[in-house]
Amino acid sequence: MTDTAPLPRAAAEPAAAQGTETPPAMAATASPRAETPAVAPAAASQGTGTPAAPPPGLRDFYENPAVPVASGDGRSLRQARLLAAALAGRPGGTVVDVGCGDGTAAATAAPLLAGHRLIGVDWSQDALRRARPRMGAVVRGELEHGGLPLADGCADAVLFSEILEHLVDPDQALDELRRILKPGGHLMLSTPNLAAWYNRALLLAGVQPVFSEVSLRGIHGRPGSEVVGHLRLYTARALRSFLTASGFEDVKITGAPFHGVPRPLRLVDRAACAVPGAASILLAHARRR
């Protein structure tokens, strides 16, 4: 993987093209990974057609260094293999990791994406400071309020890993990802599965499913010990329909394991990946129409 300058819009600050954090005026509103709060979620419109600024509490939550910004290697490796296969025979592609977090996923994928340019985009200043040594080119950016500081059609592929579940306005986010992708460009998206095999059993028992949250201040009624700010959850069927409606085609969904599954159940979790609808994590590969 080579470190090259990102492809900024004409209006983007020169600093962004040099892999440095952009000024607060470009502060983001995308969102974090399944265990990766790294780009603040977009705020809902107040009926005016224009997204409102995210509540201060959400921005504070995602900027908090104590909030996890790294996801599991299992998901990262599977996603990197899918992307490497999609880009095979086309060296020198530009891959934009939107919501790059601390760069852990990029470092895991680097050996499989050698020869391609990787640009990390995130809202969290703390996450970008940690990502820079691992990625080289990082940009502070958002999915709304002017959008990502990248030109139309500049990317051969976009990584969007465990971000979707944190967004108030996922429709606008996918519009922006589609904008920066070349026609036929690849979207590699991952998100937790509401219908994961253990969630089906938990719901039957009347227990709040894993990955779902009712508060940013604590865990209530579900297994787990970390609050990570999930606002939305998808099943495989819902995710495929949503991506198709958002201007993507050839949507393929596979499964990945979740690193938070208790050790005695990890073999079961890996086996469940053979049935994407029951897997812990949904990996979607789609192409821009």
Side-chain angles (χ1 to χ4, degrees), residues 1-284:
M1 192 183 307
T2 57
D3 295 333
T4 61
L7 304 173
R9 291 181 178 182
E13 296 288 336
Q18 297 169 10
T20 59
E21 297 158 0
T22 61
M26 301 180 77
T29 305
S31 146
R33 310 173 177 282
E35 302 326 277
T36 312
V39 190
S45 169
Q46 301 299 316
T48 63
T50 301
L58 284 176
R59 287 203 178 245
D60 292 343
F61 176 82
Y62 289 121
E63 189 64 30
N64 182 357
V67 173
V69 295
S71 190
D73 287 347
R75 190 271 307 156
S76 298
L77 278 172
R78 287 177 185 237
Q79 195 170 45
R81 291 188 186 112
L82 289 172
L83 180 55
L87 296 176
R90 299 170 58 187
T94 297
V95 179
V96 180
D97 187 354
V98 178
C100 64
D102 64 0
T104 299
T108 301
L112 297 173
L113 297 177
H116 298 292
R117 296 174 291 175
L118 184 63
I119 301 166
V121 183
D122 212 294
W123 172 78
S124 169
Q125 296 278 24
D126 179 72
L128 288 174
R129 277 192 290 271
R130 287 183 273 172
R132 182 172 289 106
R134 293 169 171 156
M135 300 187 69
V138 297
V139 182
R140 195 173 194 225
E142 63 177 329
L143 288 170
E144 62 170 29
H145 300 144
L148 298 170
L150 298 169
D152 295 358
C154 69
D156 295 281
V158 167
L159 288 171
F160 201 52
S161 303
E162 273 83 278
I163 305 296
L164 196 62
E165 64 273 14
H166 298 266
L167 299 179
V168 173
D169 190 352
D171 302 277
Q172 184 178 3
L174 287 187
D175 287 345
E176 184 64 2
L177 298 184
R178 189 173 181 275
R179 180 189 67 78
I180 68 170
L181 275 170
K182 297 176 181 177
H186 302 273
L187 173 65
M188 312 298 297
L189 181 154
S190 64
T191 190
N193 184 9
L194 174 61
W197 60 276
Y198 39 81
N199 279 346
R200 300 182 188 208
L202 290 172
L203 280 169
L204 284 174
V207 177
Q208 187 82 10
V210 175
F211 306 126
S212 66
E213 293 187 322
V214 299
S215 170
L216 292 179
R217 298 178 180 178
I219 300 298
H220 301 285
R222 71 159 173 84
S225 60
E226 291 182 324
V227 177
V228 291
H230 292 174
L231 305 179
R232 298 179 182 274
L233 288 175
Y234 299 79
T235 63
R237 180 180 298 182
L239 183 60
R240 181 181 289 106
S241 176
F242 180 44
L243 290 174
T244 301
S246 299
F248 293 90
E249 60 186 4
D250 299 331
V251 180
K252 298 179 178 63
I253 294 181
T254 55
F258 175 47
H259 64 279
V261 168
R263 189 174 297 276
L265 297 176
R266 289 182 184 175
L267 286 177
V268 177
D269 193 44
R270 289 185 177 278
C273 294
V275 183
S280 286
I281 304 296
L282 302 173
L283 299 182

